[in-house]
């Protein structure tokens, strides 16, 4: 299996950051250290001042190809949305080797943890980038470990992230993750709460949300053993931010998530398979929809009550047209293959789920070499009220990209392929 660092450098070579969206890259694990910042942030560099009152509309993070003999690194620069040409007079910001970042709710500030090297996660530093003035300010909060995402609080007065507090001695697997908070007013960081010992949180941009009240924080994760295998069903933890304690622990029974060691089909050997369910957070009604990766089913979580609201197989269309459509383009179950994943978006009115998926398999060639084969699982439109499938574009169609999925979730249109 490719290392997270390999995937990072390949994926970060051309990453588009929209001011209204959150994206991030996943670095590798190494020993942890989070230094508390008890002083005000100190300026790193005032690169340039934009002659405008709003943030640049489009930011591009790409690979800055260095001169011969110098190391290449990542850079962030504002570009023209139509031509992708640099905005004149604005110098790019150095994003070093890898990073995680998030955008404030008002779209004016980027918070980024930037690491200088790919050999480990040592030397990471928290930066605050004011987009209208194009000013990069560094804090004294440092990181020597992988960080599972970074998010602003709804009131934009704090940043939260998750990181492990220790590592397994045998394999270096992170354990005993904790939730951390950085107070933007005081410039101080501290540990909010410690999660259960083996609970491994997902990346916060997709696996965590503040509840509508802003007083609680929900985070999804999978209990993982020291061999990086799932040891239990996934859980959703509800953290009370006032008491800084886990107020509820919701078991997602029946949901298969994480890495498993299973018998490979047709052989006596074992293979590692990864299952990643799709998550859609409904902040309006404080619900979480979990679209299963291994079966065609949805689990609905009440985040306020800390209970399961519903768990059901997705019911196919019952009309004649629906039955014909399902016969021509059948739903593809996730059977086997080393990786099966779902990506889910919720419509703005909360009435529809848009779920796409893919399965990656290892295929042996006649020459004895192996290669990856990706099989799209199609696009489903699901009614959130009765978990009925409203539309299904089968696996034979081209897999919709994330931008198309977001447009569909916004109710703009349902893409046809």
């Amino acid at each position: 299996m490719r290392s997270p660092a390999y995937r990072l450098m390949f994926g970060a070579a051309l990453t588009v950051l929209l001011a209204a969206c959150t994206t991030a890259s996943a670095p590798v694990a190494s020993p942890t250290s989070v230094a508390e910042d008890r002083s005000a942030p100190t300026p790193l560099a005032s690169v340039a001042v934009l002659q405008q009152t709003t943030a640049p509309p489009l930011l591009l993070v790409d690979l800055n190809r260095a001169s011969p003999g110098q190391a290449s690194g990542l850079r962030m620069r504002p570009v023209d949305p139509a031509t992708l040409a640099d905005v004149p007079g604005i110098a790019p910001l150095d994003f070093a080797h890898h990073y995680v970042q998030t955008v404030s709710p008002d779209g004016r500030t980027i918070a980024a943890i930037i690491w200088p090297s790919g050999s480990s996660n040592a030397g990471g530093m928290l930066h605050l980038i004011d987009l209208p003035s194009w000013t990069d300010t560094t804090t004294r909060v440092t990181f020597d470990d992988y960080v599972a995402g970074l998010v602003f609080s709804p009131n934009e007065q704090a940043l939260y992230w998750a990181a492990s507090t220790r590592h397994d001695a045998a394999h270096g697997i992170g354990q005993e993750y904790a939730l951390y908070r950085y107070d933007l007013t005081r410039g101080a960081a501290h540990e909010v709460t410690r999660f259960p010992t083996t609970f491994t949180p997902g990346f916060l941009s997709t696996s965590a949300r503040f509840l509508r009240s802003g007083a609680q924080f929900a985070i999804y994760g999978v209990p993982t053993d020291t061999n990086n295998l799932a040891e239990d069903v996934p859980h959703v933890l509800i953290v009370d931010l006032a008491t800084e304690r886990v107020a509820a622990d919701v078991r997602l029974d029946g949901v298969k998530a994480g890495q498993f060691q299973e018998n490979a089909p047709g052989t006596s050997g074992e293979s590692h398979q990864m299952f990643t369910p799709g998550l859609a957070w409904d902040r309006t009604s404080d619900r979480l929809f979990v679209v299963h990766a291994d079966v065609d089913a949805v689990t609905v979580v009440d985040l306020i009550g800390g209970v399961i609201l519903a768990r059901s197989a997705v019911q196919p269309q019952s009309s004649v047209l629906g039955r014909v459509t399902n016969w021509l383009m059948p739903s593809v179950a996730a059977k086997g293959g080393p990786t099966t994943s779902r990506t889910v978006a919720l419509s703005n009115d909360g009435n529809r789920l848009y779920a796409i998926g893919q399965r990656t398999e290892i295929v042996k060639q006649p020459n004895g070499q192996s290669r990856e084969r990706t099989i799209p699982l199609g696009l489903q439109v699901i009614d959130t009220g009765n978990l009925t499938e409203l539309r299904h574009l089968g696996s034979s169609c081209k897999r919709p990209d994330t931008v198309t999925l977001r447009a569909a979730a916004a109710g703009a249109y349902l893409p046809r392929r």
Side-chain angles (χ1 to χ4, degrees), residues 18 52 159 182 188 199 225 249 279-280 308 355 362 381 391 409 413:
L18 299 176
Q52 56 188 70
L159 284 165
Y182 177 78
F199 178 85
D225 66 18
D249 184 347
L279 307 178
I308 302 295
I362 304 298
V381 184
R391 181 83 182 276
Y413 63 95

Side-chain angles (χ1 to χ4, degrees), residues 271-303:
S271 67
H272 290 86
Q273 301 187 40
M274 178 72 76
F275 295 90
T276 306
L279 307 178
W281 301 86
D282 184 358
R283 192 166 182 267
T284 301
S285 58
D286 287 323
R287 294 179 298 174
L288 168 63
F289 294 91
V290 182
V291 178
H292 298 217
D294 60 323
V295 293
D296 207 6
V298 177
T299 294
V300 186
V301 183
D302 174 7
L303 299 174

Side-chain angles (χ1 to χ4, degrees), residues 215-232:
Q216 292 181 307
F217 187 72
I219 183 165
Y220 164 96
V222 180
T224 306
D225 66 18
T226 55
N227 292 310
N228 206 27
L229 299 176
E231 66 174 19
D232 196 4

